[in-house]
Amino acid sequence: MSRRPAQPTAAPATSGVVRPPMPLDELDRWLRTPRPLQPVARSLAMLDGYLTAIVAGPVTYEPLGWLCPLLGVTSDAHHHGDTPEFAAIAAVAEHHNRLAAALSETLDRFTPLFDRSPTGEVEVGPWCRGFHAAIQLNPKYWRRLLPARRQAHPWLIPILAHCTDANGRPVPGAPPPGPLTDLARFEAHRTIPLAIVAMRAFWAPSRYSQS
C-alpha cells in the first residue's frame, strides 16, 4: 500500500485564543464572501476538487504553497489563532487529511463534494474547476497525463471538459466540442470518482519513491 501524502496541520498560533476548525457549511459561506484577496476556491465544491488534485496528484507540495492561494490568505495567517483565516486553514487541513485517508485506505468511501442545483441535480463544474486550478500550480508535473498540445488522458477528460479559460475557450488538453464531449460531461459524476482512484494509484509509485 502506498503512503499517504504529507498531511498539513494548522501551526500553533502565536496568540492565546485558537479557533476550532470551521464546519464545512460555514467554510462554504466564508469562501463565497467577497474580500480583498480572492481565494481560488469560491465554494466548498471548488475547494474539494482542488484538494483532491493535491492528494491524488503527482507531487507533494509544501503546504503553504497551495493553502494560501486556495483560501486567499497570506503566509502568516496560520500564526493568528483568533481569526477566521486560521479556522479556515484548520478546516482545510482536516478535510485534506480525510481525503488522504479515503484515497489510501478506504477507496469505497471516496465521494467528491459536487454541487447541487436548486432542483437537486448534480453539478460537477465547480469541483472540476477547483481540480484544474490545482493542476495550474505547476502543469509540468502533470505532463504524463496532460501532454503539451495533445488531448489529455481519459481520466482527465470528464474534468477538463467542464473547464474553460478566461476567454471561454476549452483549456489545454480538453476535448473539442461535440457529442463525445457532451457525453463526458453527462457521465462525469459517475466517472470522476473512478478516475481519481486510478490517478492516485498511477502517481503513487513515483510520488513516494523518494520517501
Side-chain angles (χ1 to χ4, degrees):
M1 180 178 293
S2 58
R3 295 178 56 185
R4 292 189 201 175
Q7 300 189 355
T9 57
T14 56
S15 61
V17 178
V18 177
R19 290 195 183 191
M22 283 184 183
L24 291 184
D25 57 346
E26 182 180 344
L27 180 61
D28 185 50
R29 291 192 295 271
W30 185 80
L31 290 169
R32 296 172 188 268
T33 301
R35 53 185 183 277
L37 192 57
Q38 186 65 38
V40 166
R42 297 184 295 277
S43 69
L44 184 60
M46 286 190 72
L47 182 143
D48 187 69
Y50 186 106
L51 285 181
T52 301
I54 295 295
V55 171
V59 295
T60 299
Y61 292 96
E62 191 279 322
L64 289 180
W66 57 261
L67 264 168
C68 291
L70 172 66
L71 294 176
V73 298
T74 60
S75 59
D76 68 341
H78 66 300
H79 291 303
H80 306 286
D82 60 344
T83 65
E85 288 78 9
F86 183 91
I89 290 171
V92 168
E94 283 193 347
H95 192 58
H96 172 282
N97 295 346
R98 283 193 294 268
L99 281 171
L103 287 170
S104 296
E105 301 166 2
T106 55
L107 299 179
D108 57 322
R109 297 184 185 178
F110 170 66
T111 305
L113 297 182
F114 296 139
D115 265 346
R116 292 273 178 177
S117 72
T119 58
E121 297 177 353
V122 177
E123 294 185 340
V124 304
W127 188 97
C128 295
R129 290 189 287 275
F131 192 101
H132 181 255
I135 292 177
Q136 297 310 297
L137 288 171
N138 202 325
K140 72 178 183 181
Y141 292 139
W142 291 80
R143 283 178 182 167
R144 291 173 65 188
L145 298 184
L146 190 55
R149 296 182 296 277
R150 286 169 50 196
Q151 189 165 297
H153 188 282
W155 292 332
L156 286 172
I157 291 300
I159 297 172
L160 299 183
H162 287 87
C163 301
T164 57
D165 64 17
N167 297 313
R169 296 174 298 200
V171 297
L180 292 180
T181 300
D182 293 341
L183 180 62
R185 292 194 186 102
F186 181 76
E187 297 284 346
H189 66 290
R190 288 187 286 267
T191 58
I192 284 175
L194 299 175
I196 295 303
V197 170
M199 274 188 265
R200 172 69 168 78
F202 175 79
W203 291 120
S206 59
R207 179 168 176 170
Y208 304 114
S209 63
Q210 303 302 317
S211 300

